[in-house]
Amino acid sequence: MVVCGDDALAHRIAAELAEVYRRSVVLVAPATGGPDTSGPGVRLQHTAQAPPDEPTLIEAGVRRAQALALLYEDDEVNMRAAFLARRLNPHIRLVLRMYNRNLGRRMAELLDQARGHEETTESDGHDATTIVLSDADTAAPALAATAVAGTRKIVQADGLLLRAAERIPSEAGDTTGPGLVTLALLSSTTHDPAGADGSDRSGRHAPRLLPDDAEIRAAAGHGTVVLEAVGHEPAPPRRRESRGASPRELLSPRVRWALAGVCAAVVALAVASWVTTGDHPLHAAYLTLLDLFAIGDPAVGEATARQVLQLLAGLLGLVLLPLLIAGALDALGAYRSAAALRRPPRGLSGHVVLLGLGRVGTRVLVQLRDLGVPVVCVEDDPEARGIAHARTLRVPVVLGDVTQEGVLESAQIGRARALLALTSADTTNLEAALGARTLNPDLLVALRLYDDDFASTVYRTLRAAHPEALTRSRSVSTLAAPAFATAMMGRQILGAIAVERRVLVFAALDIAEQPQFEGRTVAEAFRPGAWRVVALDTSGPVAPDDPEAPTPPGPTGLLWDLHPGYVLHAGDRVVVAATRAGLAELLGRAGADAQGAGVDPCGARAAGRGARSSSESAASPSTAPSTTPGG
């Protein structure tokens, strides 16, 4: 495996491949690309430029490698390196980190087509699919969920939707409710809603992933993560974005009230003219408007009432002129400010303060808006990539350095419900958290920190200083690395959800490639703490051993409410929830069987989130007995 990158994500993925999957890894990173956290099993190769040139890739062994991950933060750099690598080795599996999802999908199709129709799957079983992932998309749901207690975690991939809910224990310690399967037991309890999140990764305070029934019964009072549904992803409604000021924003409230008063006075004068002169109502209104605009004849020699009304109308016309000018200027200013950033409104409360509008902060902003959570953003760079999204979504933004006095106050931090500090600088996030806790001691704080040991220390300190407040620490690279590493192994990764500071990965596997599943029931295939079958798509109905077990659906049906007695057979394709170690063991067993049959252990016939080319699906129709919504 070859991993190329210039930030922490590359080091995390290299370590994941070496430690969890026991692969030989070459890490191509700049000499100043951060601390060497590669560990044993990883050969570090320094490069002075990005993207790496042809000699650098050849030295890293791209011509003999099974997979190459391109993890630079610049999409253009990754694309250039991908084209070069595809030319050097048409049979290599490519995993690209792309922020632009539309461009990434087209890149995957183009790179797959570049192999040629006959090179989709090699004779040795090697899979050269192009897989495009985004660390921001992978980590954003987990980061957004930290701001909303009990929120739902959504995994969406190629038409498949998995929805998991985090249930906080009630005062009675009850966490029951409708749900499909319990994915994890949280460290939080009834008497300690903050739990020990971030204190350690193992031990009695760590969350328990994929527990069995006995563990669930023994952990009364603990929060849970429950898989609620697995199904087809609904088509998102087409949302119309405002390109200008709304009608209510054209005129300020004071101008609107003043114009309403003038209109009421005009109506009153018209009614008075009609009553006093006995004229027709329309003619009386017509004369009133003439007097209002000073184009009527003076009422010389007419009745006193008519003269008084004309004077009043003329005076009202003098008042109307500056109001019309003020309204025009107000509307012009509204149109100009429609493209400007909104300021936090007065009296705002119960909102989330989002610090940092980079690639990760932008995705989290979109997630929070989709959840209907009010957000105020803080960013010191007016040219940050998320500023345009905030302007489109009409989200208030405070421009300024959060370390300066008054910036957090401008974001109404005193009345906020949570702070998400998501900049790339740990010191900035920590300083913002400390400042926010000074202004609002009960604030929920979620920090994006790189180093796990530093995150644990910060967590313990903040918990000791503010025992009644919730504190969370998250690492984007830690959340995203399992999905990237498993994609390099050639399996279809649907997504991952964070359970406190651990990760559950969802993958689609074929029973024909998993001998430890074939012939076993769903209950027998479940290994607590390692993996669990949560849904399946079958190629045809097969009678289960249990007479009460339901008959699975047809070739294109997705069965997520699985009966424990259903027997898995070779024609099935299952969706598995697994820990990193559990999924590595599954892939290792499949690889060992493939080696015994003379097949490359990484030659799985599954794609990641990137699109398959039409030539690939046409080249191997017999290897795909069923098509799942997940691809």
Side-chain angles (χ1 to χ4, degrees), residues 126-181:
H126 189 74
D127 175 23
T129 304
T130 301
I131 303 171
V132 176
L133 297 175
S134 169
D135 59 328
D137 286 338
T138 304
L143 293 171
T146 59
V148 185
T151 188
R152 283 172 170 77
K153 306 168 187 289
I154 305 296
V155 175
Q156 296 175 336
D158 296 337
L160 188 66
L161 181 145
L162 300 96
R163 185 175 71 245
E166 181 177 310
R167 293 177 179 167
I168 305 300
S170 63
E171 291 298 326
D174 181 25
T175 58
T176 61
L180 176 61
V181 63

Side-chain angles (χ1 to χ4, degrees), residues 138-513:
T138 304
L143 293 171
T146 59
V148 185
T151 188
R152 283 172 170 77
K153 306 168 187 289
I154 305 296
V155 175
Q156 296 175 336
D158 296 337
L160 188 66
L161 181 145
L162 300 96
R163 185 175 71 245
E166 181 177 310
R167 293 177 179 167
I168 305 300
S170 63
E171 291 298 326
D174 181 25
T175 58
T176 61
L180 176 61
V181 63
T182 300
L183 297 176
L185 293 173
L186 301 176
S187 59
S188 57
T189 63
T190 304
H191 304 291
D192 182 18
D197 180 28
S199 59
D200 63 51
R201 286 184 170 272
S202 60
R204 65 186 185 91
H205 292 301
R208 279 170 279 178
L209 304 182
L210 302 175
D212 56 16
D213 294 338
E215 288 181 299
I216 296 174
R217 289 191 298 268
H222 281 258
T224 59
V225 176
V226 178
L227 185 64
E228 290 186 328
V230 179
H232 297 283
E233 179 181 351
R238 190 170 184 178
R239 185 169 53 187
R240 297 180 61 184
E241 301 292 351
S242 174
R243 296 184 178 274
S246 64
R248 294 179 60 87
E249 295 173 331
L250 289 177
L251 300 177
S252 65
R254 290 184 178 181
V255 174
R256 291 200 302 268
W257 279 109
L259 289 176
V262 170
C263 293
V266 171
V267 173
L269 287 175
V271 173
S273 177
W274 168 47
V275 172
T276 56
T277 61
D279 202 355
H280 191 275
L282 293 179
H283 191 264
Y286 174 68
L287 291 178
T288 302
L289 292 176
L290 291 179
D291 295 335
L292 183 67
F293 298 117
I295 59 176
D297 295 331
V300 178
E302 298 188 16
T304 303
R306 166 66 180 147
Q307 292 176 342
V308 172
L309 289 175
Q310 189 177 56
L311 292 175
L312 292 176
L315 181 62
L316 192 60
L318 295 177
V319 176
L320 180 62
L321 180 61
L323 279 178
L324 292 177
I325 296 176
L329 295 177
D330 212 19
L332 180 61
Y335 273 115
R336 288 183 174 180
S337 62
L341 296 174
R342 298 184 61 187
R343 301 288 298 176
R346 294 182 180 180
L348 180 65
S349 62
H351 58 287
V352 174
V353 177
L354 175 61
L355 173 59
L357 285 176
R359 66 174 67 236
V360 176
T362 302
R363 292 288 191 245
V364 174
L365 171 62
V366 174
Q367 288 278 335
L368 291 174
R369 291 293 293 173
D370 290 341
L371 292 172
V373 178
V375 185
V376 173
C377 300
V378 179
E379 176 59 55
D380 61 348
D381 182 10
E383 302 297 328
R385 73 168 67 236
I387 293 294
H389 285 77
R391 184 184 294 111
T392 302
L393 296 174
R394 312 292 292 165
V395 173
V397 178
V398 177
L399 289 176
D401 187 356
V402 72
T403 61
Q404 301 297 322
E405 186 177 358
V407 175
L408 285 176
E409 289 88 340
S410 300
Q412 312 287 353
I413 193 67
R415 295 192 294 270
R417 65 191 294 183
L419 169 69
L420 294 179
L422 304 181
T423 70
S424 57
D426 289 0
T427 54
T428 300
N429 295 335
L430 179 58
E431 186 172 356
L434 296 176
R437 277 286 166 79
T438 302
L439 300 172
N440 188 351
D442 298 329
L443 185 71
L444 188 156
V445 173
L447 300 174
R448 174 188 174 186
L449 300 175
Y450 167 71
D451 185 76
D452 288 336
D453 295 333
F454 180 60
S456 299
T457 303
V458 169
Y459 171 82
R460 294 191 187 99
T461 305
L462 290 176
R463 285 284 293 153
H466 304 275
E468 300 300 324
L470 295 177
T471 303
R472 296 289 183 260
S473 61
R474 297 289 183 263
S475 170
V476 173
S477 58
T478 301
L479 295 174
F484 279 84
T486 316
M488 292 189 69
M489 298 299 296
R491 291 303 192 268
Q492 179 179 352
I493 300 305
L494 302 176
I497 64 171
V499 181
E500 297 182 0
R501 298 187 63 208
R502 301 182 68 182
V503 176
L504 265 180
V505 182
F506 290 89
L509 304 177
D510 291 317
I511 297 300
E513 299 177 355

Side-chain angles (χ1 to χ4, degrees), residues 571-593:
D572 286 336
R573 184 171 173 83
V574 296
V575 177
V576 176
T579 62
R580 294 183 299 165
L583 189 58
E585 183 177 350
L586 286 176
L587 299 183
R589 288 188 177 183
D593 294 334

